[in-house]
Amino acid sequence: MENLVTRVCAALHQQEWTVLKPDAAPRRLPQCVSSRYHNPPAEWVEFLSCVRSCMSAEETTWFLCQDDFERQDKDSFRWNEWELMSLQAAIDDQDAEWQNSIKAFWDNHLPVCLSVKGGYGYYAIRLSDGAVVHGTEPEFEETREAAPSFGQFLEMICSGALVLDA
């Protein structure tokens, strides 16, 4: 897998992405991830341990990395920002059933990449089957499958079959 991570980092670097490796030994999964998402795909865990930061040249699309999951300042997009936006809409509408369906959706979808280019969008791992799905505003919970697994998602980036900053 590390070879695949190296290849995807090289492919993104060729697209003028900024890709930084960790300064120190890999850390444990962030608490917000490990407490909510049990048994995330090993491919993604390895990616997270090998990449500290991964952002498009325009800084409009980025992979969520260790620091992104730990960030809590209100001036930056949080790792679960799209979920929080959906929940706020349901709260404003005072719709408890809608709130519960949003929470259930995000309990089964681990966001791995966010974008603000041309509107808010994301890629997430659907934990029920490991597929990577893509969603956009305004209905973040309506998705289409982008790849059957996180490894294949990375392979598609390497081959040019998937361009994240488009």
Side-chain angles (χ1 to χ4, degrees):
M1 177 67 187
E2 187 170 342
N3 185 33
L4 177 56
V5 173
T6 300
R7 288 190 301 120
V8 79
C9 290
L12 290 170
H13 186 71
Q14 286 184 329
Q15 296 173 32
E16 300 183 4
W17 280 52
T18 302
V19 181
L20 303 174
K21 302 282 180 153
D23 295 333
R27 298 180 280 179
R28 294 187 338 213
L29 282 177
Q31 176 66 27
C32 62
V33 173
S34 61
S35 64
R36 184 173 190 182
Y37 302 104
H38 306 290
N39 300 318
E43 301 162 319
W44 175 76
V45 173
E46 176 137 359
F47 177 87
L48 196 64
S49 71
C50 295
V51 179
R52 188 182 87 207
S53 177
C54 189
M55 183 175 294
S56 68
E58 296 175 335
E59 298 184 358
T60 56
T61 304
W62 62 98
F63 274 91
L64 292 168
C65 297
Q66 188 87 27
D67 291 345
D68 297 305
F69 286 102
E70 295 171 351
R71 182 174 294 122
Q72 294 299 318
D73 62 87
K74 297 205 189 279
D75 295 330
S76 299
F77 288 106
R78 291 164 286 187
W79 69 274
N80 61 342
E81 195 72 37
W82 303 172
E83 174 187 12
L84 297 174
M85 286 180 181
S86 290
L87 283 172
Q88 189 58 55
I91 290 168
D92 291 347
D93 202 35
Q94 299 181 356
D95 189 333
E97 186 176 323
W98 186 19
Q99 291 172 44
N100 289 335
S101 71
I102 291 167
K103 289 176 189 173
F105 174 87
W106 289 104
D107 283 346
N108 187 45
H109 291 80
L110 170 61
V112 294
C113 184
L114 301 181
S115 180
V116 295
K117 183 172 184 166
Y120 296 151
Y122 70 92
Y123 289 90
I125 299 169
R126 185 173 53 214
L127 298 173
S128 60
D129 63 2
V132 175
V133 298
H134 180 249
T136 60
E137 67 177 325
E139 298 298 330
F140 291 116
E141 293 76 27
E142 292 179 10
T143 64
R144 66 168 179 77
E145 188 170 310
S149 70
F150 187 72
Q152 289 175 306
F153 176 71
L154 296 181
E155 287 286 359
M156 291 171 68
I157 294 168
C158 289
S159 71
L162 177 64
V163 178
L164 295 176
D165 203 27

